[in-house]
Amino acid sequence: MKVALLNPPWTFEHSIYFGCRAPHLPIELGASKTLLERAGHATLMRDGLLDELDIGGMAEACAGFAPDMIVVTTAPTYLFWRCAQPELRLPRMLLDALRVACPHATLVAVGPHGSATPDAALRKLGADIVVRGECEEVVLALANGGVPGEVPGTAALQPDGSIRANGGPQATRFTDLPAVRWPDHWVARHHHHHHRFEQPHQGSGHDLPGAEVEASRGCPYSCSFCAKIDFRDSYRRRDLVPLLEEIDALRAQGVGYLYFIDEIFLPNRLLLEALVGRGLKFGVQTRIDLWKPEMLELLGQAGCVSIEAGVESLTEAGRAELDKNCKLSTDELADRLIMAKQHVAFVQANLIQVSGDDPAMVTAWRERLLAAGVWANDPVPLYPYPSSPDYRKLFGLPDAQAWERAHAHYLGLFDRMSDIQDDTPLPLAELESVCRR
Ligand code: SF4
C-alpha cells in the first residue's frame, strides 16, 4: 500500500496552546514510517514547517504520490500530545484539501483528540478513520488490510453516518522500535534546540542542528493534571541498540543537540554512560526526586544541559492533592534542584497554580532558587485535558462536548495567559468554525 504521513503547517492564532511553536520532528509519523517500510509499504512523509509547505503545497505533494491512505496528525509531534492545542482547525483544513486532491485515498487522523473523543474528532475532522492511542502499530494494521472499525483502536465513519469502533486506546510495543531515520534537509533546517536556555559559549554547538529522540515512552506515575490516560501512559524503555543507532545517525547528519521527548527521563546508567564521549548536548524532562547525587553528576557528564523538573506545588499537601506521589519534602526538592545545577547548565522547576500555595511563599521560594541559578516559573492554572484525571474529577468521562467543556472552564479560570500564549484566546466553537460544516 502507498501511505502518506503528514504533519500540518501549524499556526495557533487565538489558541490557548502553550506548547512550543518551533518545528520539531514528528516522531509519531517517523516511527509509523519505519514500521510501514519494514513491512514493505511505500511511504511519503511531509511536514508543513520543515518542508516549508502550506496546505495547498502539502495536498499537491500528496496528489503526486497518489496514496491509498493518508495519515494526518492532530498535534504537532508526540512531545505535545499531553498539551495539544484544543482546536482541530488546521488538521480539518488540511483534510479538506486532501479530500479534493486525493479523492480515492482513505483519510486517517491520529493524535490526542481522536484518542480521547473519537466520535467528536471524526465529525470535526471529516476524516474516514481516527486512531485511538499510540498510532504506529494501528496504522500498520490498517495498511496491512485491516478493516477500519474492526482493527483495535480504530473508529470509522460508515456510509450511513454511524460510527463503527473497536476497543479503547492502543499502546505500541515500542521497546524494540527500530532506529528512526530523518531526511537530511529536515535535520539541516531543524535549528531549534528545544528547551535549551543556557548561555551560548564557544564550542557549545548552538549553531548545529537540533533533533528530538525517544528513549522511553509513558510514565509510571499518574499526576492528576497529566493528560496521558489515552496514550503514552504505561512506562516502556527502548532497547539501547536501536536508540544509539538513531542517535549516531543524527550525529552523522550534523546534529549537536538532542531533546529526549520522554514523559519522564528516568535515571538510566547504561544510556548515560553510552552518551558520555559522544559529544552531544541534550535536554530532558524528569522528576528531580528520582535522581541521586551520583546520577546527577553522570547526567551532566553525559552532556545534559537542560532539565525541566515538575515540582508543581510547594506544599506536601498540594503535591498529594495532585497525586504526585513525591517522597521528598519541599526543602529537599529545592536542595536536589540546586545540586542538579552544579552539573547541568539550565535547571527549571515547573510550578502550577494550586489553591493552597500562598503567593508570598511561592515568591520567596522562586527567589531562593533563582539566587542559586535555578529557574522556577510563575505558576499558572492547567488546562483540564480530557485525557487527564483532573478532567474526569471535574466532569466525569469525556463525551462529545469534552473539549468544549474543558476550554470554557479554562477560559473562565483567569484573565491572563502565560507569556507563551496568545493573549486573545477564543472560545472553541469560534476556533473550530471550519470544523462545523
Ligand atoms: S510524573 Fe510527569 S509524566 Fe508522569 S504522570 Fe506526573 S506529570 Fe505526567
Side-chain angles (χ1 to χ4, degrees):
M1 185 180 270
K2 292 169 80 175
V3 185
L5 302 149
L6 305 181
N7 191 20
W10 294 102
T11 58
F12 301 100
E13 292 91 12
H14 304 295
S15 176
I16 61 86
Y17 181 60
F18 46 85
C20 177
R21 295 169 190 226
H24 301 80
L25 299 175
I27 288 185
E28 62 273 52
L29 300 187
S32 297
K33 180 176 187 286
T34 304
L35 297 193
L36 286 164
E37 289 181 348
R38 192 176 61 171
H41 300 288
T43 66
L44 172 89
M45 184 167 65
R46 290 289 181 269
D47 182 287
L49 300 182
L50 289 168
D51 283 314
E52 299 177 356
L53 291 171
D54 60 13
I55 283 175
M58 295 193 89
E60 198 179 318
C62 246
F65 179 63
D68 304 296
M69 183 165 89
I70 304 175
V71 178
V72 173
T73 181
T74 67
T77 112
Y78 263 150
L79 175 56
F80 305 117
W81 279 33
R82 286 187 302 141
C83 61
Q85 84 298 340
E87 71 277 5
L88 289 169
R89 169 179 58 187
L90 246 290
R92 171 64 192 246
M93 288 163 65
L94 177 56
L95 285 159
D96 279 352
L98 292 167
R99 185 72 78 191
V100 175
C102 307
H104 304 298
T106 302
L107 302 182
V108 182
V110 303
H113 306 82
S115 297
T117 55
D119 292 20
L122 260 180
R123 296 191 198 286
K124 287 182 183 183
L125 290 165
D128 299 312
I129 305 169
V130 296
V131 172
R132 300 196 67 192
E134 297 164 28
C135 57
E136 299 92 343
E137 290 172 354
V138 181
V139 165
L140 178 61
L142 289 169
N144 284 345
V147 178
E150 280 185 18
V151 171
T154 59
L157 204 58
Q158 303 299 295
D160 65 359
S162 65
I163 290 171
R164 182 181 191 186
N166 184 10
Q170 303 294 299
T172 299
R173 179 177 158 88
F174 179 71
T175 52
D176 56 356
L177 180 69
V180 177
R181 294 294 163 86
W182 300 100
D184 287 340
H185 71 283
W186 279 20
V187 173
R189 285 179 187 159
H190 192 306
H191 306 296
H192 175 59
H193 289 192
H194 186 71
H195 208 268
R196 184 174 190 187
F197 300 110
E198 94 274 16
Q199 286 303 314
H201 58 81
Q202 208 170 14
S204 60
H206 276 78
D207 52 335
L208 299 175
E212 292 79 38
V213 290
E214 232 183 339
S216 68
R217 194 177 281 190
C219 170
Y221 294 90
S222 304
C223 303
S224 67
F225 52 87
C226 189
K228 68 176 183 64
I229 290 174
D230 297 311
F231 41 81
R232 305 182 63 88
D233 192 16
S234 65
Y235 182 75
R236 288 143 288 164
R237 182 176 280 179
R238 191 172 176 198
D239 296 345
L240 210 49
V241 171
L243 173 60
L244 292 175
E245 189 187 327
E246 185 173 318
I247 288 173
D248 285 339
L250 288 165
R251 280 171 73 212
Q253 289 174 298
V255 165
Y257 176 82
L258 295 174
Y259 189 78
F260 286 91
I261 71 157
D262 311 31
E263 280 71 17
I264 181 164
F265 188 88
L266 292 176
N268 178 346
R269 180 174 289 280
L270 285 179
L271 171 59
L272 294 178
E273 286 176 348
L275 289 173
V276 172
R278 273 185 154 80
L280 288 164
K281 307 287 186 209
F282 64 90
V284 301
Q285 47 190 344
T286 188
R287 288 175 57 131
I288 206 67
D289 52 318
L290 305 177
W291 287 83
K292 300 261 183 321
E294 70 275 13
M295 288 303 285
L296 284 173
E297 191 176 345
L298 179 57
L299 184 63
Q301 286 167 358
C304 184
V305 292
S306 173
I307 293 176
E308 190 178 2
V311 171
E312 330 304 359
S313 167
L314 296 183
T315 66
E316 288 181 33
R319 291 193 292 280
E321 191 185 317
L322 298 169
D323 295 328
K324 284 290 292 182
N325 199 10
C326 175
K327 304 281 187 287
L328 297 191
S329 69
T330 304
D331 280 345
E332 287 169 328
L333 286 170
D335 291 345
R336 198 65 61 87
L337 288 161
I338 291 166
M339 183 186 298
K341 181 71 176 77
Q342 292 166 11
H343 305 290
V344 175
F346 181 81
V347 178
Q348 172 175 342
N350 275 349
L351 301 178
I352 62 181
Q353 202 172 89
V354 179
S355 54
D357 282 10
D358 169 38
M361 172 187 69
V362 174
T363 303
W365 196 84
R366 290 181 70 207
E367 284 173 359
R368 178 188 162 206
L369 263 72
L370 204 53
V374 174
W375 172 249
N377 65 297
D378 189 7
V380 290
L382 284 190
Y383 194 94
Y385 283 99
S387 291
S388 70
D390 273 349
Y391 179 92
R392 290 153 207 233
K393 279 186 206 163
L394 281 166
F395 307 117
L397 287 176
D399 62 12
Q401 287 296 305
W403 292 87
E404 283 74 6
R405 199 175 290 116
H407 203 79
H409 176 83
Y410 183 78
L411 292 184
L413 276 180
F414 58 117
D415 57 7
R416 71 184 169 95
M417 296 284 121
S418 73
D419 50 10
I420 52 170
Q421 291 174 297
D422 191 314
D423 59 6
T424 55
L426 289 176
L428 194 51
E430 285 180 55
L431 283 172
E432 288 188 330
S433 56
V434 69
C435 300
R436 286 159 205 282
R437 38 180 199 248

